[in-house]
Amino acid sequence: EADIYQTPRYLVIGTGKKITLECSQTMGHDKMYWYQQDPGMELHLIHYSYGVNSTEKGDLSSESTVSRIRTEHFPLTLESARPSHTSQYLCASSVGTHYGYTFGSGTRLTVV
Amino acid sequence: AQKVTQAQTEISVVEKEDVTLDCVYETRDTTYYLFWYKQPPSGELVFLIRRNSFDEQNEISGRYSWNFQKSTSSFNFTITASQVVDSAVYFCALTRGQNFVFGPGTRLSVLP
């Protein structure tokens, strides 16, 4: 039973559309993360949050934005999707880095 | 700076063979944690093991075993009697402050 949920699982959308990828966790974790990954390839940290109203950009520059209004919710938004945004987006949460991450199932985004 | 190297990009073995996945890391931290994650074709990342820098005991869990050697900065992962269900991409990760550094992954294919 997943404790971190990502929706949608798959999304195909046209260029220029605004999209929001949802991520929610029920574990009360303060730390949450978004990673971008081409299938089976390296994971790139694009955003992270250490708590409510705290968000930071990660190692990989991304045109997406995030918000953290509630502890359990960490949505990622693309204002204008482009084909270069086609990728898998993985959300994760952690009670502390030394405990590791719990990952969601991911959203596979295709922009046509 | 922290870095994780997984030199084996892809490995193919025949079912029931043993296979070792290599992980070499770099860090200046005296306290750190190392992890292995499995990413099956479905895309989610599954936590396998955590090891802290003060615990060099090797660990065995069923067909899985891990060999942590600080002297060589390595944290290798061995699957004994591999099975087709072991086919996945395996990622080694190292703590970096409140985040992780992931290796590039090793794609393991176990052929029937």
Side-chain angles (χ1 to χ4, degrees):
Chain A
E1 185 176 323
D3 295 313
I4 182 164
Y5 305 91
Q6 287 188 247
T7 57
R9 185 77 174 89
Y10 300 93
L11 179 62
V12 180
I13 200 162
T15 297
K17 299 292 186 183
K18 177 180 179 178
I19 58 171
T20 296
L21 308 185
E22 301 289 349
C23 177
S24 294
Q25 49 98 0
T26 59
M27 298 170 283
H29 290 171
D30 284 329
K31 298 175 176 60
M32 295 189 73
Y33 308 83
W34 277 103
Y35 282 84
Q36 184 176 341
Q37 182 197 30
D38 291 333
M41 304 298 284
E42 287 190 60
L43 290 96
H44 298 285
L45 179 66
I46 53 175
H47 297 284
Y48 59 97
S49 167
Y50 293 157
V52 171
N53 295 326
S54 152
T55 61
E56 301 286 345
K57 290 187 179 296
D59 302 322
L60 180 68
S61 176
S62 174
E63 293 166 343
S64 59
T65 59
V66 293
S67 62
R68 189 87 183 278
I69 299 171
R70 303 197 314 268
T71 297
E72 63 271 22
H73 195 213
F74 191 41
L76 181 145
T77 298
L78 276 166
E79 290 292 333
S80 180
R82 295 209 298 266
S84 60
H85 297 139
T86 294
S87 189
Q88 172 163 254
Y89 293 83
L90 288 158
C91 181
S93 71
S94 175
V95 66
T97 312
H98 50 287
Y99 289 104
Y101 289 173
T102 301
F103 280 90
S105 299
T107 294
R108 293 196 181 182
L109 173 65
T110 302
V111 183
V112 297
Chain B
Q2 287 88 344
K3 183 180 178 181
V4 175
T5 301
Q6 295 179 255
Q8 305 148 307
T9 305
E10 294 191 34
I11 301 175
S12 288
V13 299
V14 177
E15 205 169 18
K16 298 184 182 177
E17 286 185 7
D18 299 346
V19 58
T20 296
L21 310 182
D22 297 333
C23 173
V24 174
Y25 63 93
E26 296 176 26
T27 183
R28 293 181 181 173
D29 294 343
T30 53
T31 302
Y32 53 89
Y33 291 79
L34 292 158
F35 300 82
W36 276 95
Y37 283 86
K38 173 182 180 181
Q39 187 176 41
S42 52
E44 75 277 18
L45 275 97
V46 178
F47 168 84
L48 294 178
I49 191 171
R50 174 188 70 174
R51 172 66 70 228
N52 75 54
S53 53
F54 297 108
D55 182 0
E56 290 194 68
Q57 278 192 330
N58 293 327
E59 181 157 341
I60 298 174
S61 176
R63 296 184 297 107
Y64 295 171
S65 62
W66 291 268
N67 184 339
F68 176 35
Q69 293 197 337
K70 281 180 79 170
S71 60
T72 56
S73 297
S74 65
F75 186 41
N76 297 336
F77 171 31
T78 297
I79 302 174
T80 302
S82 59
Q83 300 176 1
V84 172
V85 293
D86 296 327
S87 297
V89 181
Y90 291 85
F91 291 93
C92 182
L94 167 70
T95 48
R96 180 188 64 186
Q98 297 294 324
N99 300 332
F100 276 10
V101 174
F102 282 90
T106 296
R107 181 179 300 276
L108 174 65
S109 297
V110 182
L111 308 174

